[in-house]
Amino acid sequence: MKKNSLLFAAMVLLLACNNETKVDSATTDSTVAVTEPVSLPYTVEKTPDWEKGSDENLSIAMKALKAYETNDSTAMKALLADSVSFYYDGGEFKGTADSFMTMLNRHRNSLTNVSIKMNDYESVKSKNRGEEWVGLWYVETTTEKSGKTDSLTTMDDIMIVNGKIRVIDSKVRHFAKQ
């Protein structure tokens, strides 16, 4: 019995050391997963056709946000198209860049401090429609001249046309009051 168990142990060890995993070349040639179409409960007018956009557009959008944070209206104005649409919590603005800057300066000058903590960003472009957008996700903390501090989770969709900001669609979530 001792001889048989020793022989069995030797065979197991030999098989374990010589056990190669064979890989079928057909499975390694393609790493693309095939996905089946799914049925979606909603339809959209324009089929999404987005692909990665340019880093230049991302830079334009972030520079505009930084100009707002640092209250640099000259830098902000240089990044705007001649006409701007701005959709924000509680309203909208459509008009010239100069009128937009007047409105923005009035708001920004009511604050003593603005701080931005960037969480994520994405630059995309439409393959068929020629639209280019940048998405910015961040937390904005502001301090009013009265001393009141508030924070908002913000998501901005920014349309860039010919290297200039044409549309800003800003969505916010107010933090719960403690």
Side-chain angles (χ1 to χ4, degrees):
M1 180 79 169
K2 203 177 211 185
K3 254 185 183 180
N4 287 342
S5 62
L6 196 53
L7 183 61
F8 179 72
M11 285 178 40
V12 168
L13 186 60
L14 185 62
L15 287 173
C17 291
N18 197 15
N19 191 8
E20 289 182 28
T21 304
K22 296 200 177 194
V23 177
D24 184 7
S25 63
T27 60
T28 59
D29 290 343
S30 176
T31 58
V32 177
V34 178
T35 59
E36 295 294 322
V38 295
S39 176
L40 301 175
Y42 300 99
T43 59
V44 293
E45 287 180 28
K46 299 176 186 176
T47 303
D49 65 339
W50 302 105
E51 63 186 4
K52 184 179 179 336
S54 74
D55 289 341
E56 290 80 15
N57 285 348
L58 182 58
S59 177
I60 290 166
M62 284 190 170
K63 284 178 181 177
L65 185 60
K66 182 56 99 170
Y68 168 72
E69 179 182 24
T70 60
N71 203 16
D72 186 348
S73 57
T74 303
M76 172 67 86
K77 176 96 170 41
L79 299 167
L80 300 175
D82 291 339
S83 63
V84 178
S85 297
F86 177 47
Y87 305 96
Y88 57 95
D89 187 31
E92 70 178 60
F93 166 89
K94 290 182 181 185
T96 65
D98 288 333
S99 296
F100 174 73
M101 288 306 303
T102 299
M103 180 192 74
L104 187 64
N105 285 335
R106 185 174 33 248
H107 166 71
R108 184 58 182 86
N109 289 333
S110 72
L111 306 171
T112 58
N113 189 50
V114 174
S115 174
I116 303 293
K117 180 187 176 293
M118 188 63 58
N119 290 327
D120 203 357
Y121 51 83
E122 181 177 35
S123 176
V124 296
K125 66 180 178 180
S126 170
K127 293 182 235 175
N128 297 318
R129 296 187 306 271
E131 294 178 6
E132 298 185 46
W133 291 83
V134 172
L136 301 176
W137 293 266
Y138 57 93
V139 174
E140 175 183 346
T141 304
T142 60
T143 305
E144 296 176 3
K145 288 189 175 181
S146 67
K148 178 184 173 196
T149 299
D150 196 10
S151 293
L152 303 169
T153 298
T154 306
M155 195 284 170
D156 290 339
D157 285 318
I158 302 167
M159 178 189 259
I160 311 286
V161 177
N162 297 323
K164 300 286 186 174
I165 295 172
R166 173 71 185 87
V167 176
I168 304 168
D169 185 359
S170 187
K171 294 153 287 292
V172 299
R173 179 179 60 88
H174 296 266
F175 284 90
K177 302 291 182 203
Q178 299 293 336

